[in-house]
Amino acid sequence: MFKAIYSNPTLRIILPFLSIVLVFGSFLFFGWNKTDPTDYIADEPIHQNEKDILFLSNSINEKSPILKPYGLAIDSKGSVYTGSADGNIYKIKTDGKVELFAETSGVPIGLVFDGKENLVSCVSGLGLAFYDTKGNENVLLREDSEGNPLTNLYGLDISSDGTVYFTQVSKKFDYEESYLEELESIPNGRILSYDPRTQEVKTVLDDLYHPTGISLSSTEDFLLFGEKYRHRVSRLWLKGKKTGRDQFFITHLPGSPSLISSDFQRNFWITLSSPRHPAIDKIQNFPIIKRIIASLPSFFRPKEGELAFVFAMDENGDIVYSLADYSSSKLGSITAAIPYGSGLILAGFSSHKIWKWKFESLEIFF
């Protein structure tokens, strides 16, 4: 039988073709309801007169066990902390030595110290947790007030009264399937708050497009948050006549916002960890095409590029600094930036390194 098929030129062409159609048809059949995409017209990216200067950064953790660092935090003694893809949190001392600080029950993303020197983290796969000075894990939240799991958290910040504000990037997709958020184009994310005194969990703002980094203003009257797949940053008012209202802070970004931090000069430091995907932008108005792509196995997922882009905005919404690395692939993707001494500490997600960039580097432009 097989010999007869092999000897027939027509069948030798048709059968492989039908096999391919059958395989892809199976993917479409079983994966068709994975997403329910809607259409929208993507905005055009606008560059922010960024200076190509981040390549002058230097690594502070050569030959360390850190893998894909995401968030950053700095303690009162100047030591740098970062999460790793292996589930650990590492501490980089001021002398450059790297040591294991804590073993987590997931993958730590956002990191912030509270007023008691506890390191609070959004731990992917777990929820909200804090680690005391000895690195012991204490789980604060696994579920919201309705019993829904909080396994897909991202960024956080802590107010002066101890309230933790944090983002849940999606109520539908897990961390590994986050790319489906961009294809579906439906607001599945939200911002929540946790009061450690009452252990109350509240939804502060719902229906967001993959909210990522978050940071409170200096007077805590509003908080800033990024939306990865809308390439924008917005603010939500927490006090005053505008309480509960949100508004755009900056839009048309050339990349996807990641974590956000603030400094003592009332500036927000925002990182863009991946560039816009031109092909995805172009098909956003075609739900059927997006549904087909989402139905295919994950190895057909759109490849996320690398981008080292950091910019600072003051609380009025004006750009203070705009820094990038276009001339090299040295830094790869930068997911977090924190002011430190005379410069910035940067988390190099794809380079597996923590970088130090100095403000004096700007002198080459004058």
Side-chain angles (χ1 to χ4, degrees):
M1 176 181 174
F2 292 105
K3 186 175 181 180
I5 293 174
Y6 182 76
S7 62
N8 188 313
T10 302
L11 292 177
R12 288 208 309 266
I13 295 173
I14 292 177
L15 286 180
F17 175 75
L18 290 177
S19 298
I20 294 174
V21 171
L22 180 62
V23 170
F24 276 86
S26 299
F27 289 142
L28 293 178
F29 178 79
F30 291 106
W32 190 252
N33 293 321
K34 187 184 294 185
T35 59
D36 184 20
T38 186
D39 64 308
Y40 87 98
I41 299 175
D43 58 24
E44 292 292 329
I46 299 175
H47 285 273
Q48 306 299 323
N49 297 316
E50 58 271 18
K51 295 178 173 61
D52 182 9
I53 196 171
L54 287 182
F55 64 89
L56 295 174
S57 303
N58 295 310
S59 171
I60 66 172
N61 66 314
E62 292 293 340
K63 297 180 180 180
S64 76
I66 298 173
L67 298 172
K68 295 183 178 181
Y70 224 101
L72 291 170
I74 300 174
D75 67 14
S76 58
K77 297 180 180 179
S79 295
V80 177
Y81 296 73
T82 187
S84 174
D86 60 10
N88 296 325
I89 297 175
Y90 291 94
K91 176 181 179 180
I92 307 174
K93 297 182 177 181
T94 53
D95 60 4
K97 292 183 179 179
V98 180
E99 63 180 37
L100 176 64
F101 171 70
E103 296 179 353
T104 79
S105 300
V107 178
I109 307 294
L111 300 170
V112 174
F113 275 103
D114 66 10
K116 300 179 181 179
E117 287 292 309
N118 295 311
L119 184 60
V120 187
S121 177
C122 289
V123 184
S124 179
L126 176 66
L128 193 67
F130 79 87
Y131 302 85
D132 61 25
T133 55
K134 295 182 179 179
N136 297 312
E137 183 175 74
N138 301 269
V139 180
L140 294 171
L141 284 178
R142 293 180 185 269
E143 302 175 338
D144 64 13
S145 57
E146 297 177 351
N148 300 307
L150 295 173
T151 57
N152 203 357
L153 306 183
Y154 195 102
L156 75 159
D157 202 359
I158 304 175
S159 69
S160 56
D161 66 3
T163 301
V164 183
Y165 294 92
F166 57 98
T167 59
Q168 181 182 18
V169 293
S170 178
K171 292 176 286 185
K172 182 174 182 179
F173 301 108
D174 61 25
Y175 181 76
E176 296 299 327
E177 293 183 319
S178 61
Y179 73 99
L180 295 176
E181 287 287 336
E182 185 172 22
L183 294 173
E184 186 164 86
S185 306
I186 289 177
N188 294 314
R190 57 180 172 167
I191 297 173
L192 302 99
S193 67
Y194 170 72
D195 188 335
R197 297 164 299 183
T198 62
Q199 297 186 344
E200 185 178 17
V201 185
K202 293 181 180 179
T203 296
V204 179
L205 186 63
D206 210 346
D207 298 327
L208 298 177
Y209 295 90
H210 204 89
T212 50
I214 191 170
S215 185
L216 287 159
S217 65
S218 59
T219 56
E220 301 181 0
D221 56 341
F222 70 87
L223 56 81
L224 216 63
F225 64 92
E227 289 177 283
K228 181 175 182 178
Y229 295 130
R230 279 298 191 267
H231 311 104
R232 68 191 181 201
V233 175
S234 303
R235 68 174 157 189
L236 171 66
W237 292 97
L238 301 175
K239 299 177 182 178
K241 297 180 180 179
K242 299 180 181 179
T243 299
R245 291 175 54 186
D246 62 298
Q247 59 184 180
F248 297 151
F249 206 64
I250 185 170
T251 61
H252 298 262
L253 291 171
S256 300
S258 188
L259 291 169
I260 303 173
S261 64
S262 58
D263 61 23
F264 294 110
Q265 296 179 327
R266 299 186 176 185
N267 295 322
F268 295 102
W269 288 91
I270 304 162
T271 54
L272 304 182
S273 60
S274 59
R276 298 279 287 260
H277 201 300
I280 297 299
D281 280 355
K282 290 179 180 178
I283 67 169
Q284 287 294 358
N285 207 27
F286 302 94
I288 295 297
I289 296 177
K290 294 194 292 181
R291 197 162 200 164
I292 291 173
I293 295 174
S295 300
L296 298 176
S298 59
F299 56 79
F300 285 100
R301 73 178 62 178
K303 298 294 183 182
E304 192 168 273
E306 297 180 353
L307 181 62
F309 194 121
V310 179
F311 65 100
M313 299 183 72
D314 63 25
E315 294 187 352
N316 294 318
D318 295 322
I319 298 284
V320 180
Y321 296 101
S322 188
L323 315 167
D325 177 14
Y326 292 136
S327 59
S328 78
S329 58
K330 178 180 175 180
L331 275 69
S333 293
I334 296 297
T335 51
I338 295 185
Y340 182 86
S342 60
L344 299 172
I345 296 293
L346 310 170
F349 178 75
S350 56
S351 65
H352 311 291
K353 293 181 179 179
I354 305 300
W355 302 91
K356 174 69 181 290
W357 178 84
K358 296 182 179 180
F359 286 111
E360 65 184 33
S361 302
L362 287 169
E363 295 176 2
I364 68 174
F365 287 91
F366 298 96

